Amino acid sequence: MVCQRHTQCEGEDQVDRMEKQITLPITGMTCANCASTVEKGLRRLDGVKEASVNLATEKATVTYDADKLQESDLIKQVERVGYGVATAVVDLAITGMTCANCVATVEKGLKKLPGVLEASVNLATEKAVVTYVPGQVTRRDMVRQVERIGYGVVEAASDEGMEDAERKAREDEIRQQTRRLIVGVIFSLPLFLLSMARDFGILGEWSHAAWVNGLFWALATPVQFYVGWQYYTGGFKALRNGSANMDVLVALGSSVAYIYSAAVTLSLIFRPAAEMAMHMDAGAVAGTPHVYFETSSAIITLIVVGKLLEARAKGQTSEAIKKLMGLRAKTARVVRDGAEVDVPVDQVEVGDVVIVRPGEKIPVDGRVIDGHSAVDESMITGESLPVDKGPGDRVIGATINRQGLLKFEATAVGRETALAQIIKLVEDAQASKAPIQRLADQVAAVFVPVVIVVALVTFVVWLFAVPGSDFVTALIRMVAVLVIACPCAMGLATPTAIMVGTGKGAEKGILFRNSAALERAHRLTALVLDKTGTITRGEPSVTDVIAPQGIDILRLAAGAERGSEHPLGQAIVRAAAGLSLPEPQAFTSITGQGVQALVEGRTVLVGSLRLMETQGVALNGLRAEAERLQSEAKTAMWVAVDGQAAGLIAVADTIKEGSREAVAEMHRLGLHVAMITGDNRATAEAIAREAGVDTVFAEVAPGGKAAYVKQLQEQGYTVGMVGDGINDAPALAQADVGIAIGTGTDVAMEAADVTLMRGDLRSVPQALRLSRATIRTIKQNLFWAFGYNVILIPVAAGVLYPFSWVPDILRQLHPILAAFAMAFSSVSVVTNSLWLKRARV
């Protein structure tokens, strides 16, 4: 909507940019040679006049020519020679921003501070993310700078206090605009009705009375200078610093109509009626020159209506993050000095024993030490089915204990919990700028000055070049151009859609690191899937039990393996869950071959073919069956009883539920799907056939996965890599979009652009559909925002006037209609973004 306090700090506190000095905190130095290396590296830069490095304090003091170098250049040089510079990031909640020009102003003002390396401001979230060098600038310096250029910063002592303070600031803004709107309607509505009545002759002989214009003036003045005062102050600050913003357009447009009308009213009072009759215009009524007080009042009131609706709609775009914040438990029941006590959740410490009863919310992350239950984790992972929990299992804060009593040890509290990390990831993504927004930012930077020039040209053309036109007509055309222009829609087009898209993703357990990742994901043409833990479960499971002699070999083998720690043995024991397992005696583990044990008085061997051969076991014709299982990428475990082969148990890393459907959906999205694994080719191809992938990269070393991603990129694909986020880090980093499948608690996966909270491959096509829907919404918003200004500014200027077949409402666009269109342009953009909530992903 309309910019309220857009200013720039150009011209204020000018600093000699020829020579500056900065002190950089250096990391990674261990000896005097390190200090010397950093010094030499810095001095090699053209523009560095002096560089001194102190090993003891680990700081570099650099004097440089600010016309040739920036602070970021110095930091890059330090990194180039093999060291680092400690930087920090701070978030500032900004108040008073209402248009894209505000964003540019705050960014520019913050970047002028010494020590500030980068400042990114988001209009929709009303947040500034500032990267700076500690010791060179403080948060207080940044706050003062923001306030100096005409905006405010919300301050609070804690994270929860900050949320409350931000909410209060937004609510205060809405209340203030509501109060202004009420005043505007109280005075503008009767003014508009009386003006219409006079135009249609309803006022009779009173239409000629000078006091009627005086009444109109009295009604318009509170609107102009109370409701519209915010535009005068914002416009004054902008002009004072040599820039122009939306406040300037609104103040100019409404003031021109108001001042002209005031001049006409004074003329009527002090000049004879006969003289006035000589100067009446085409809009005169019975010899009385027309006044436009209703126009100036309606312009301001309609713009406030749009501003208020926009503020309310913007609030809805952040509902997802508010829901996440609302999930946090307020209290926790902990064991202190042998007694159970309820404490505020921020007083829980790592190592505390926490007790959660059925139906209660788990307050922090932890590991179960006693009890069994089913926990609803849908609010974190998006997984609808409750998850069984028992001793040793991890629990996530903010999830709900559905059944039994759980006792667990707190392992993460405060900002370290999974929920806190999720909120931080979503907030960072919403605050970041998508590359697609650059065009809108560039246009917004020059938009207002261009509009003012167009308005002046319009006035001149209508005054001197249009037959039958006069001063009043030219004036009205100029006002229409000024008030119909709106860069606010351009400023809101991208961030509002990003906010809704990332919020919807968080609700589904899909976390985008930043808006650039969200944008890149829609361009993917190929996906590379890691096999183990991504397509498959990542742990062996029993797939076949072959017992031609009718012996219950699964029960006997599980009894023999009860003492084994081998993954294959444990898989057999899990498969026999529910059976009454005998206790093994004389258990022996034969390294690399299997186990031997005495079970219920019978000698049981479980292991490889080599074990059977070394023990002289009769194979009883099962070799062919074992080879068949091996060809299906299964590990055939031989089971012998008392020297005779009794059967085979096949074990394999099985495909996860949903993997086939996920790959099929990827194909429907037009993607080429590849699988990458360190397994042998036969096993890999068997899994690939079952999952339905297109290409198999087998027998790949963990460090070599990135090379295969690069190979696909060189073939022209835009590649997404899906892995566990740890072993696959190089490949995730190489990919155009790295997608890490999380576990519900490990969400801070540094190498990944997208983190999926569920270990379900079906979340991948969900994420891609969400990305496509979000980018589609952004493009719709930008088309509307640019189209609105490109089409309606010329219409307001009168390009359709020569065409008699065009409806008069467009040929002679009145400033009131222009104000209405301007007021609702950005509302329409925000509303379109909100429709994204209903997108099917």
Side-chain angles (χ1 to χ4, degrees), residues 685-823:
E685 289 180 346
I687 294 293
R689 283 194 300 272
E690 192 174 355
V693 302
D694 303 308
T695 305
V696 179
F697 300 123
E699 300 174 3
V700 179
K705 292 181 180 180
Y708 287 92
V709 171
K710 188 175 182 180
Q711 178 180 318
L712 284 175
Q713 290 171 327
E714 290 171 348
Q715 294 173 15
Y717 288 107
T718 303
V719 182
M721 171 68 195
V722 186
D724 62 14
I726 301 169
N727 298 329
D728 302 313
L732 289 168
Q734 173 65 41
D736 296 282
V737 177
I739 303 173
I741 290 189
T743 61
T745 53
D746 185 15
V747 299
M749 298 188 179
E750 294 299 326
D753 300 299
V754 184
T755 297
L756 308 177
M757 295 295 292
R758 285 190 294 162
D760 188 334
L761 201 57
R762 285 172 291 193
S763 293
V764 175
Q766 264 191 320
L768 300 187
R769 284 195 300 268
L770 178 59
S771 171
R772 293 182 181 187
T774 304
I775 297 304
R776 186 166 58 246
T777 299
I778 290 173
K779 289 179 178 177
Q780 291 168 353
N781 287 349
L782 289 173
F783 176 81
W784 165 254
F786 281 107
Y788 165 87
N789 287 292
V790 168
I791 294 171
L792 290 188
I793 289 177
V795 169
V799 295
L800 298 179
Y801 184 75
F803 306 103
S804 58
W805 52 268
V806 175
D808 286 345
I809 194 171
L810 294 177
R811 291 178 66 227
Q812 304 179 40
L813 190 64
H814 194 278
I816 291 178
L817 291 176
F820 179 86
M822 185 260 207

Side-chain angles (χ1 to χ4, degrees), residues 456-500:
L456 291 173
V457 170
T458 300
F459 176 79
V460 172
V461 169
W462 276 88
L463 184 60
F464 297 107
V466 179
S469 179
D470 57 16
F471 177 82
V472 173
T473 304
L475 198 69
I476 293 304
R477 289 290 185 183
M478 182 177 73
V479 171
V481 170
L482 288 171
V483 300
I484 205 168
C486 182
C488 310
M490 291 185 288
L492 290 168
T494 300
T496 52
I498 292 291
M499 285 183 70
V500 176

